[in-house]
Amino acid sequence: MSDTTTTRRRWRGRRLRAVLAGGLVLGVGAAITLAAWTDNEYATGTFTAGQFNLQGSIDGATYADHASAAGAATLSFSTPFSNLAPSQTVYAGFWLRLAAGTTTAANLQLVGYTGTGAAAPQLTYSIYLIPAAGTCNATTATGTAIATGLLSSTTATSTVVPLAAPVGAAAGAAQQLCFAVASSASLAQNTTATGTWQFTATST
């Protein structure tokens, strides 16, 4: 074999090794390029609870929280609530609304009641839904009552009364409940009774 042939083969071998080496370099370069084709997206959410507050009023003007039996609003019954005779009825209005800042509407319901005193078995109560601007008396306390019971009873149930959610910075529209408490024909002299009603508003 001539020196020329040997030299040619050596050059071919060198070229082949160079091409292979170049291919390896190109392969590594391609892997790096593919790894660089990545991107990220993130998403987040913030959650805030709403507010809910029920208020009551005995005059339709001044509202406050009465959240326990010990702090119950004292209803202003008509005369002669402190000098009852047999077969008489006295009346008192009680306004309820959702306070400003409340973020949902609600359903209102009488859920609990306690009655004490010697006169309690001789007294009955009925609660009527009347216009907020109305006067609670014998004329307006008519129709179907949302709740009725004996003052000495230990349980109470009522139909649901809707309460509107506040709009803007104002409180929600008020609903007036008209209480009618009636004495029986057999009411004993010099006896007293106390009734406490619990209303619950559930957000809707």
Side-chain angles (χ1 to χ4, degrees):
M1 184 179 294
S2 65
D3 291 338
T4 301
T5 303
T6 301
T7 299
R8 287 176 178 173
R9 287 182 176 177
R10 287 176 179 172
W11 278 107
R12 287 175 182 171
R14 289 174 182 173
R15 287 175 182 173
L16 179 59
R17 286 193 295 273
V19 170
L20 291 173
L24 291 174
V25 172
L26 288 173
V28 172
I32 292 173
T33 302
L34 289 173
W37 282 98
T38 62
D39 197 5
N40 300 295
E41 288 290 334
Y42 295 86
T44 186
T46 300
F47 307 93
T48 303
Q51 300 181 63
F52 192 81
N53 185 27
L54 178 68
Q55 294 179 319
S57 171
I58 61 171
D59 60 7
T62 303
Y63 287 83
D65 293 330
H66 309 93
S68 66
T74 302
L75 299 175
S76 297
F77 279 95
S78 59
T79 56
F81 74 93
S82 60
N83 189 29
L84 272 175
S87 303
Q88 286 186 321
T89 303
V90 291
Y91 303 89
F94 187 48
W95 289 257
L96 291 162
R97 73 179 188 186
L98 295 175
T102 298
T103 53
T104 66
N107 284 331
L108 177 75
Q109 197 165 14
L110 176 67
V111 298
Y113 170 78
T114 57
T116 58
Q122 303 303 322
L123 298 173
T124 59
Y125 70 87
S126 298
I127 304 174
Y128 300 88
L129 182 63
I130 68 172
T135 300
C136 178
N137 54 32
T139 301
T140 57
T142 58
T144 303
I146 67 163
T148 59
L150 189 65
L151 215 65
S152 60
S153 175
T154 58
T155 60
T157 57
S158 73
T159 57
V160 170
V161 175
L163 293 177
V167 177
Q175 294 277 24
Q176 185 182 176
L177 304 181
C178 180
F179 287 70
V181 175
S183 61
S184 71
S186 57
L187 179 67
Q189 297 183 40
N190 200 30
T191 56
T192 60
T194 300
T196 302
W197 295 265
Q198 179 189 352
F199 294 91
T200 296
T202 304
S203 62
T204 58

